[in-house]
Amino acid sequence: MQAQPRAPISPPPAAASAPTPAPPPAETLVFPPSDAAKLTSHLPPQHLQSQDQDQNAPTPQSRRPFVTLTFATSLDSSLSLAPGTRTVLSGPQSKAMTHHLRAHHAAILIGVGTAVADDPGLNCRIAGARSPRPVVVDPRARWALHRDSKVLQLARAGQGLAPFIVTAEREPSAGVAALLAEHGGKFLFVEAAAETGRFSWADVFDVLGREGLGSIMVEGGGEVINSLLAEPECELVDSVIVTIAPTWLGQGGVVVSPPRTVGESGRPSAPLRLTGVEWHPLGEDVVLCGKILR
Ligand SMILES: NC(=O)c1ccc[n+]([C@@H]2O[C@H](COP(=O)([O-])OP(=O)(O)OC[C@H]3O[C@@H](n4cnc5c(N)ncnc54)[C@H](O)[C@@H]3O)[C@@H](O)[C@H]2O)c1
Ligand SMILES: Nc1nc(=O)c(N)c(NC[C@H](O)[C@H](O)[C@H](O)COP(=O)(O)O)[nH]1
């Protein structure tokens, strides 16, 4: 029987607009279970770790999200060499620890200063782990989010989630709003104080709680962290996990140092101390875990 000529295999129709190529696969991180076990008591309760709206969408009356304050700092309490300068402090082991924290929180929150400086991905790069919902605090909606922003590239590649942007603008950019909606993100409106343009963190966390985000890891930057270490905002922080790197960044860095308090005598006093403290060496870094002493 004579073989029938094969019909030519036509090339697939060209996509109308070639999709943006997925970002190059970032390094996959590994955090050993033996190290993970040391952090368990400092993580949110299990039922608050996912984004499952049914499971943990706290009603307005229920408690606010579990808040973890976590960042990497130098020996001179700096987060980076200068505002807007992304500075590597963590070694591989404590970097993996940060991603372990991301897998165990429903959301990861940064300020717009960090978003602008770092073009962050804000996903979890441990194989098989879930990524948190990125939240960017941006009262004046000044973050120039665009299709090639890393966080949106990862969302399109299924390697992360699109951000929720917390703003005081009642009519933020329609273009950015559409871009967010296309990727599963959105703007969240929170009223800011008229005189300062700042949010009450209680309001921010209430809004995020009503989005079903039962736990939030606040990663920075300096302004965000210092404002959460001030009274009374520090009452909202449930856990503190700090990576300390054996590096001095020198003067001019982005410093973590909460506002000073002054006693009745007029003498300055230390504003905050941690309790329930544990120190865990990880590579050349040490990870300090604790809770703010009430
Ligand atoms: N080492 C680390 O762990 C770490 C983590 C995050 C960022 N960083 C670094 O920190 C630097 C950015 O820090 P930063 O202090 O410049 O910016 P930031 O990320 O703290 O963002 C500051 C902005 O957030 C908003 N904001 C903060 N608190 C607010 C409040 N209570 N109400 C309303 N808006 C509020 C304001 O718009 C403010 O301008 C970058 O260099 C980044 O690389 C380091
Ligand atoms: N743990 C930690 N060690 C560091 O050495 C360092 N520079 C940061 N910085 C935090 C960082 O500035 C922001 O949270 C990002 O911008 C996240 O970015 P990715 O998601 O990793 O792309 N954090």
Side-chain angles (χ1 to χ4, degrees):
M1 178 179 172
Q2 188 175 359
Q4 295 298 318
R6 282 181 179 279
I9 297 172
S10 56
S17 61
T20 312
E27 82 287 18
T28 297
L29 303 170
V30 175
F31 192 58
S34 55
D35 286 337
K38 298 168 187 170
L39 295 175
T40 306
S41 62
H42 301 280
L43 293 178
Q46 184 75 36
H47 72 285
L48 294 180
Q49 292 187 10
S50 77
Q51 290 120 1
D52 179 345
Q53 301 257 359
D54 302 332
Q55 183 186 3
N56 63 35
T59 57
Q61 295 72 31
S62 69
R63 80 178 300 279
R64 275 188 197 104
F66 184 100
V67 175
T68 299
L69 204 52
T70 182
F71 51 93
T73 180
S74 65
L75 292 175
D76 39 9
S77 197
S78 283
L79 296 175
S80 65
L81 281 163
T85 305
R86 186 167 189 168
T87 309
V88 175
L89 285 164
S90 296
Q93 294 92 335
S94 51
K95 179 177 181 179
M97 183 272 300
T98 295
H99 283 257
H100 176 74
L101 296 182
R102 293 185 181 187
H104 291 275
H105 284 79
I108 178 172
L109 183 147
I110 58 171
V112 62
T114 297
V116 169
D118 295 2
D119 185 25
L122 298 173
N123 65 334
C124 175
R125 299 198 278 275
I126 292 175
R130 182 182 50 73
S131 284
R133 169 71 63 187
V135 175
V136 177
V137 173
D138 186 6
R140 290 184 286 116
R142 65 185 168 96
W143 185 23
L145 186 68
H146 51 81
R147 284 192 69 80
D148 291 336
S149 297
K150 188 173 175 186
V151 68
L152 293 186
Q153 288 191 49
L154 291 169
R156 288 197 296 275
Q159 296 167 14
L161 297 177
F164 289 174
I165 300 178
V166 180
T167 185
E169 294 295 323
R170 291 190 181 278
E171 294 180 359
S173 153
V176 173
L179 191 59
L180 286 168
E182 179 192 337
H183 292 77
K186 60 184 171 184
F187 279 110
L188 293 173
F189 174 78
V190 173
E191 194 82 47
E195 62 277 10
T196 63
R198 289 306 206 210
F199 298 130
S200 138
W201 281 107
D203 292 347
V204 172
F205 294 146
D206 280 348
V207 165
L208 295 176
R210 284 197 290 275
E211 291 292 327
L213 299 170
S215 56
I216 299 163
M217 64 185 281
V218 178
E219 258 202 23
E223 282 192 49
V224 165
I225 291 168
N226 284 324
S227 72
L228 273 169
L229 290 177
E231 286 288 354
E233 311 282 12
C234 60
E235 304 290 325
L236 302 170
V237 176
D238 296 286
S239 181
V240 177
I241 300 177
V242 184
T243 296
I244 301 166
T247 308
W248 282 275
L249 291 184
Q251 295 170 9
V254 176
V255 174
V256 171
S257 183
R260 176 69 68 80
T261 53
V262 177
E264 288 172 7
S265 63
R267 290 167 54 85
S269 60
L272 288 176
R273 182 178 176 83
L274 294 181
T275 186
V277 166
E278 295 173 4
W279 297 84
H280 297 297
L282 276 183
E284 292 193 335
D285 304 331
V286 65
V287 175
L288 162 62
C289 303
K291 295 183 183 311
I292 291 176
L293 180 62
R294 303 281 189 242

